[in-house]
């Protein structure tokens, strides 16, 4: 079998014929009422029939897909057909192919439009979390109107955005959330919701299911009610959060339990995963602590690089031993996965971990770890655009004044984040810089410099003293935890 590399991908996709096919397909077809690429993928999956002008083009796209599949060791056409029956997958591949048409194969890959937009829908929130990157609480006076929000959805859909993740604040505190979420779903986008879960009654969970919300991520800071409530600032929030988790699971919604890991709850992680698994959640997500918003005042709670390394190693080893998926937003998780598996398993994105036998390592370099300003960006409640949801202080434009795609294409900040050659410290020389790249939000949070080394990685220890973190008491002694270093 051909060993997949980015060079073989470049050979297959950067040649004049492939580029011509992809550029032609990026254009809108009046007969299809969509892009030629997207319609060609529908034809390939068997979910649509070709019009007179589409037959030749759809055949050419089919040849390109099969050629790319052979590079990754996938030779069965039936595997592709089943995969592309999912409209979100088709929309995602269309986005990638549009990026290849515009930029060719790059390392990591550049896209013509962000794959994901995390939308801080409102600043309003019913909790008062210590680690809130948004400093949420009261609704901001300048938040987008419902009309502006619906227009933003249309603009993102036309731009080729694949997924919208509604976050906040607490999105469910906005009266027009369901109206806007419905619009996004009707426009063919993947819809996710990040919430504290306290407002998800049985009725709300059913409404989320009826609207077509694909994914719900509910925050849980501890398996201990008192400790969770102390971190969230509101008594009784633990019980209401668990109720929200159960209600989503009962409705059959893909439900993830998410924990921002700090020194307060580090040694509880096994218990939190146990609880999430017992509740029936399909995924556990360990979030990086990022010093933004109110979290700037809680920086002492951040893990040491050694603690984060132990955590990521533990999370990796738990995969395959449990019924629940276990992942992390820390881009170093990709490196840890490769190291511990001898290159056989990798997490090319925090949304997936799997076997590398079919070329996933190449895919990981293609996806490129941290995607801030490249694979995704954030939309703030007032229409401001930032490269990452954890960079609320870095605004590169506003959709009230500038078209969304103009902001994404023309921002110098975004361009800087897309260029891994600008990274400093070990992040710039590390052999894993194309599967990781370090968390750019953490680098900015600690050093106010986008290209600075991520102080959360053990490979940047020589630079970490500059982060000026202070030691705090550990809740459980190191020798009492399975996360201890050998």
């Amino acid at each position: 079998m051909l060993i997949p590399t980015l060079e073989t991908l470049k050979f297959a996709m950067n040649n004049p014929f492939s580029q011509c096919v992809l550029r032609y397909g990026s254009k809108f077809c009046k007969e299809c009422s969509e892009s030629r690429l997207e319609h060609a993928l529908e034809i390939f999956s068997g979910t649509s029939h070709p019009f007179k002008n589409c037959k030749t083009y759809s055949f050419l796209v089919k040849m390109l897909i099969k050629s790319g599949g052979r590079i990754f060791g996938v030779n069965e056409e039936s595997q592709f057909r089943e995969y592309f029956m999912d409209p979100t997958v088709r929309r995602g591949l269309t986005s990638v192919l549009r990026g290849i048409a515009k930029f060719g194969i790059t390392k990591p890959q550049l896209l013509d439009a962000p794959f994901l937009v995390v939308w801080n829908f409102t600043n309003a929130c019913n909790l008062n979390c210590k680690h809130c990157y948004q400093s949420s609480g009261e609704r901001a006076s300048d938040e987008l109107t419902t009309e502006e929000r619906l227009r933003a959805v249309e603009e993102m859909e036309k731009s080729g955005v694949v997924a919208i993740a509604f976050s906040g604040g607490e999105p469910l505190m906005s009266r027009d959330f369901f109206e806007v979420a419905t619009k996004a779903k009707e426009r063919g986008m993947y819809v996710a919701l990040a919430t504290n879960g306290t407002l998800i009654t049985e009725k709300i969970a059913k409404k989320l299911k009826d609207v077509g919300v694909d994914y719900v991520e509910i925050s849980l800071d501890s398996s201990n009610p008192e400790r969770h409530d102390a971190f969230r600032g509101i008594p009784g929030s633990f019980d209401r959060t668990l109720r929200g988790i159960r209600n989503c699971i009962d409705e059959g919604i893909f439900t993830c339990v998410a924990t921002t890991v700090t020194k307060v709850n580090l040694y509880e992680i096994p218990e939190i995963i146990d609880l999430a698994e017992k509740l029936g959640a399909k995924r556990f997500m360990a979030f990086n602590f990022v010093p933004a918003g109110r979290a700037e005042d809680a920086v002492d709670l951040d893990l040491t690089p050694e603690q984060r390394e132990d955590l990521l190693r533990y999370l990796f080893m738990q995969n395959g031993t449990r019924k629940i998926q276990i992942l992390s937003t820390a881009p170093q998780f990709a490196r840890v996965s490769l190291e511990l598996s001898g290159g056989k398993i990798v997490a090319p994105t925090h949304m997936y971990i799997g076997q590398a036998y079919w070329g996933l390592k190449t895919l990981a370099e293609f996806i490129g770890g941290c995607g801030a300003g490249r694979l995704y960006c954030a939309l703030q409640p007032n229409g401001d655009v930032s490269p990452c949801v954890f960079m609320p202080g870095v605004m590169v434009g506003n959709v009230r004044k500038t078209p969304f795609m103009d902001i994404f294409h023309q921002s110098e900040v975004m361009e800087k984040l897309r260029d891994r050659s600008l990274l400093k410290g070990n992040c710039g020389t590390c052999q894993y810089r194309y599967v990781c790249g370090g968390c750019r939000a953490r680098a900015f949070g600690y050093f106010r410099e986008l290209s600075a080394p991520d102080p959360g990685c053990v490979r940047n220890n020589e630079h970490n003293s500059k982060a000026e973190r202070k030691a705090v008491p550990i809740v459980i002694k190191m020798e009492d935890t399975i996360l201890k270093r050998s």
Side-chain angles (χ1 to χ4, degrees):
M1 183 183 76
L2 179 64
I3 298 176
T5 66
L6 285 177
E7 293 306 315
T8 54
L9 271 179
K10 287 179 181 179
F11 177 79
M13 306 303 285
N14 282 1
N15 64 74
F17 172 75
S18 297
Q19 285 289 294
C20 181
V21 171
L22 294 177
R23 282 195 294 269
Y24 178 79
S26 298
K27 298 177 181 178
F28 185 82
C29 177
K30 293 182 179 179
E31 189 177 15
C32 304
S33 297
E34 57 188 339
S35 75
R36 294 185 176 93
L37 263 174
E38 198 161 357
H39 189 224
L41 293 176
E42 291 173 2
I43 295 168
F44 183 67
S45 67
T47 57
S48 181
H49 299 287
F51 297 112
K52 182 178 179 181
N53 297 331
C54 299
K55 291 182 178 180
T56 301
Y57 183 72
S58 62
F59 174 78
L60 294 175
V61 171
K62 176 181 176 180
M63 294 300 101
L64 282 181
I65 292 173
K66 293 181 71 173
S67 175
R70 283 193 293 271
I71 291 174
F72 286 104
V74 182
N75 297 308
E76 292 294 328
E77 188 172 315
S78 59
Q79 291 179 264
F80 282 118
R81 290 186 182 279
E82 182 178 356
Y83 189 57
F84 292 143
M85 289 183 72
D86 185 333
T88 302
V89 171
R90 293 197 300 270
R91 188 171 178 83
L93 183 59
T94 299
S95 175
V96 172
L97 292 176
R98 282 177 55 196
I100 294 173
K102 184 169 184 176
F103 302 105
I105 295 290
T106 60
K107 186 178 178 179
Q109 186 59 44
L110 301 178
L111 297 183
D112 186 47
F115 190 90
L116 167 68
V117 173
V118 180
W119 191 347
N120 285 335
F121 201 64
T122 179
N123 201 61
C125 189
N126 59 331
L127 301 184
N128 187 31
C129 306
K130 294 179 180 179
H131 58 312
C132 181
Y133 61 82
Q134 193 69 12
S135 298
S136 297
E138 298 295 326
R139 183 184 184 277
S141 60
D142 61 347
E143 291 185 6
L144 297 175
T145 65
T146 299
E147 182 181 357
E148 288 174 323
R149 286 167 169 169
L150 293 173
R151 189 162 59 246
V153 169
E154 292 180 0
E155 196 171 348
M156 285 187 277
E157 185 270 330
K158 291 178 181 178
S159 300
V161 172
V162 178
I164 295 178
F166 292 94
S167 187
E170 174 50 59
L172 294 176
M173 290 191 70
S174 283
R175 294 180 179 179
D176 59 356
F177 165 76
F178 284 102
E179 181 181 358
V180 178
T182 298
K183 179 85 167 183
K185 192 63 184 177
E186 289 174 348
R187 289 280 178 160
M189 287 182 280
Y190 186 91
V191 176
L193 169 65
T195 170
N196 60 48
T198 60
L199 302 179
I200 305 180
T201 61
E202 290 183 3
K203 183 178 179 180
I204 292 296
K206 185 179 187 305
K207 198 169 182 179
L208 291 170
K209 180 69 173 181
D210 291 343
V211 165
V213 171
D214 298 280
Y215 178 91
V216 174
E217 187 174 84
I218 300 178
S219 301
L220 187 69
D221 291 312
S222 175
S223 58
N224 177 283
E226 290 76 19
R227 193 173 293 135
H228 173 88
D229 290 357
F231 218 74
R232 292 276 155 176
I234 301 293
S237 58
F238 178 85
D239 291 335
R240 286 184 288 149
T241 293
L242 259 59
R243 179 197 63 182
I245 294 171
R246 291 190 183 100
N247 289 336
C248 287
I249 292 170
D250 288 345
E251 283 295 333
I253 302 172
F254 192 113
T255 306
C256 168
V257 170
T259 300
T260 299
V261 186
T262 67
K263 286 176 178 173
V264 173
N265 60 13
L266 171 62
Y267 303 117
E268 280 190 79
I269 295 303
E271 296 174 8
I272 298 174
I273 296 175
D274 286 343
L275 176 57
E277 192 172 41
K278 182 179 180 180
L279 290 169
K282 291 189 176 181
R283 177 179 293 166
F284 170 79
M285 184 71 72
F287 266 78
N288 248 346
F289 174 92
V290 179
R294 275 199 294 272
E296 289 185 357
D297 297 325
V299 70
D300 289 351
L301 300 182
D302 195 8
L303 304 182
T304 67
E306 291 77 15
Q307 287 173 326
R308 180 171 284 100
E309 188 78 0
D310 286 340
L311 170 67
L312 296 178
R313 292 169 68 89
Y314 170 75
L315 295 176
F316 173 82
M317 297 303 294
Q318 289 299 295
N319 276 288
T321 68
R322 294 175 176 264
K323 297 177 181 179
I324 191 172
Q325 296 177 9
I326 301 174
L327 299 169
S328 173
T329 62
Q332 291 86 5
F333 193 49
R335 169 184 57 79
V336 169
S337 300
L338 283 170
E339 289 178 336
L340 293 185
S341 68
K344 295 179 181 179
I345 298 176
V346 68
T349 166
H350 67 264
M351 299 300 287
Y352 180 77
I353 183 171
Q355 297 289 329
Y357 67 88
W358 55 279
L360 203 56
K361 184 178 180 182
T362 295
L363 182 61
E365 292 183 339
F366 182 80
I367 293 173
C370 180
R374 179 178 56 88
L375 294 182
Y376 68 89
C377 62
L379 182 62
Q380 302 299 334
N382 67 348
D384 282 340
V385 176
S386 59
C388 172
V389 72
F390 291 105
M391 295 180 186
V394 183
M395 303 305 170
V396 297
N398 188 292
V399 295
R400 280 174 166 152
K401 303 175 182 178
T402 308
F404 176 75
M405 285 297 279
D406 287 352
I407 297 172
F408 187 73
H409 286 155
Q410 298 171 12
S411 165
E412 293 183 4
V413 171
M414 302 278 210
E415 289 183 6
K416 185 174 183 179
L417 285 165
R418 295 164 192 162
D419 188 351
R420 291 288 164 85
S421 69
L422 299 178
L423 295 181
K424 298 179 180 179
N426 186 72
C427 282
T429 58
C430 180
Q431 69 183 93
Y432 296 103
R433 66 185 179 279
Y434 292 115
V435 300
C436 172
C439 176
R440 294 301 94 212
R442 284 177 50 79
F444 182 81
Y446 278 109
F447 301 111
R448 290 297 185 264
E449 185 177 353
L450 294 171
S451 57
D454 179 353
C457 180
V458 291
R459 289 173 169 245
N460 280 320
N461 266 342
E462 61 190 84
H463 302 273
N464 287 337
S465 60
K466 297 178 182 179
E468 298 182 348
R469 283 188 299 246
K470 299 177 182 178
V472 296
I474 305 301
V475 177
I476 299 177
K477 294 180 180 179
M478 182 64 80
E479 58 266 26
D480 294 334
T481 175
I482 57 178
L483 297 175
K484 67 182 179 180
R485 298 186 67 82
S486 58

